Amino acid sequence: DTGVSQDPRHKITKRGQNVTFRCDPISEHNRLYWYRQTLGQGPEFLTYFQNEAQLEKSRLLSDRFSAERPKGSFSTLEIQRTEQGDSAMYLCASSPWGQYFGPGTRLTVT
Amino acid sequence: DQQVKQNSPSLSVQEGRISILNCDYTNSMFDYFLWYKKYPAEGPTFLISISSIKDKNEDGRFTVFLNKSAKHLSLHIVPSQPGDSAVYFCAASVNFGNEKLTFGTGTRLTIIP
């Protein structure tokens, strides 16, 4: 197991389209986190899962965002009706105690 | 409300010298602190952490110091190497890292050969 993986690495979409990102955590890590990073800022927490249960959602996660982690393995993050302000790097991390990050998905909304 | 602050956006250090990166926090509930290194187009890479019951943790060339009364921590890298050039993020959490991380805005470290 080589670490947390994310797919796709890059996504360009037009405003108003829906996008979905996938995260595969390190095997046996029961906690999975999503963060968003914009230029010049540190990553900002979006949501996290303990196994398949979504335990917390940030107020940054508007109604257009939804995340799932069926069966407590991989997770998906969907953004509906994308806006230009959604352009960012979306990072996934998994953890037994501290957090190991994937390479991120860079989203560009045109 | 920036609960974790890295007031130096950039730092340049001569190769072989010590690099000192600073971080301040405001939330007294934070009890676990981490440093991450980030290269362009990659996710953050965990470097070193410290819990609030300690004031120092060392791992090879990296040492983190925690001053709880001042709500301040620092990362020392010695000796600095060209491969250390990256953006460094300080992060904090409640409950020994088992909760969400709150990140600072990062410090870009450049090591001059």
Side-chain angles (χ1 to χ4, degrees):
Chain A
D1 187 33
T2 56
V4 179
S5 62
Q6 292 186 246
D7 184 69
R9 295 291 307 273
H10 303 275
K11 178 71 178 179
I12 301 173
T13 191
K14 294 188 179 200
R15 188 178 55 183
Q17 297 295 304
N18 299 344
V19 294
T20 300
F21 311 139
R22 176 179 170 127
C23 171
D24 287 89
I26 295 171
S27 297
E28 298 168 2
H29 281 193
N30 55 9
R31 288 190 172 230
L32 186 149
Y33 301 78
W34 286 98
Y35 291 82
R36 180 173 70 184
Q37 184 178 16
T38 53
L39 198 62
Q41 300 296 317
E44 295 175 289
F45 170 79
L46 292 178
T47 187
Y48 87 95
F49 294 83
Q50 168 100 14
N51 300 313
E52 64 273 12
Q54 189 172 16
L55 296 186
E56 185 175 350
K57 293 195 291 187
S58 163
R59 57 184 168 77
L60 292 176
L61 216 64
S62 76
D63 291 345
R64 297 184 296 105
F65 288 71
S66 62
E68 294 182 343
R69 193 184 181 195
K71 304 178 186 177
S73 56
F74 71 92
S75 175
T76 58
L77 177 68
E78 182 184 16
I79 310 174
Q80 296 183 324
R81 305 181 302 282
T82 52
E83 302 173 355
Q84 287 186 320
D86 297 331
S87 295
M89 174 77 84
Y90 290 84
L91 294 161
C92 174
S94 72
S95 164
W97 57 268
Q99 296 181 25
Y100 295 87
F101 283 82
T105 295
R106 177 162 296 285
L107 173 66
T108 303
V109 182
T110 61
Chain B
D1 177 24
Q2 193 73 24
Q3 298 185 63
V4 178
K5 300 176 186 178
Q6 294 177 257
N7 292 319
S8 297
S10 62
L11 175 68
S12 295
V13 174
Q14 206 77 30
E15 181 179 358
R17 298 288 188 97
I18 184 170
S19 296
I20 300 176
L21 296 99
N22 293 303
C23 177
D24 298 290
Y25 62 96
T26 58
N27 187 344
S28 57
M29 297 297 291
F30 288 145
D31 63 1
Y32 192 64
F33 304 89
L34 307 90
W35 283 94
Y36 286 85
K37 174 181 180 180
K38 188 178 184 302
Y39 293 118
E42 293 184 12
T45 302
F46 170 75
L47 274 178
I48 191 168
S49 63
I50 188 167
S51 77
S52 59
I53 62 173
K54 292 183 153 186
D55 54 18
K56 177 182 174 181
N57 189 26
E58 193 170 353
D59 184 2
R61 296 186 299 114
F62 302 93
T63 303
V64 57
F65 295 92
L66 175 62
N67 182 333
K68 289 186 292 293
S69 60
K71 293 190 176 69
H72 176 83
L73 63 156
S74 60
L75 174 68
H76 292 211
I77 306 172
V78 56
S80 300
Q81 300 174 351
D84 296 330
S85 294
V87 178
Y88 289 77
F89 290 98
C90 168
S93 77
V94 176
N95 193 19
F96 192 54
N98 283 326
E99 302 294 338
K100 62 189 178 186
L101 294 178
T102 300
F103 283 83
T105 52
T107 296
R108 180 177 300 280
L109 175 65
T110 302
I111 305 302
I112 304 163

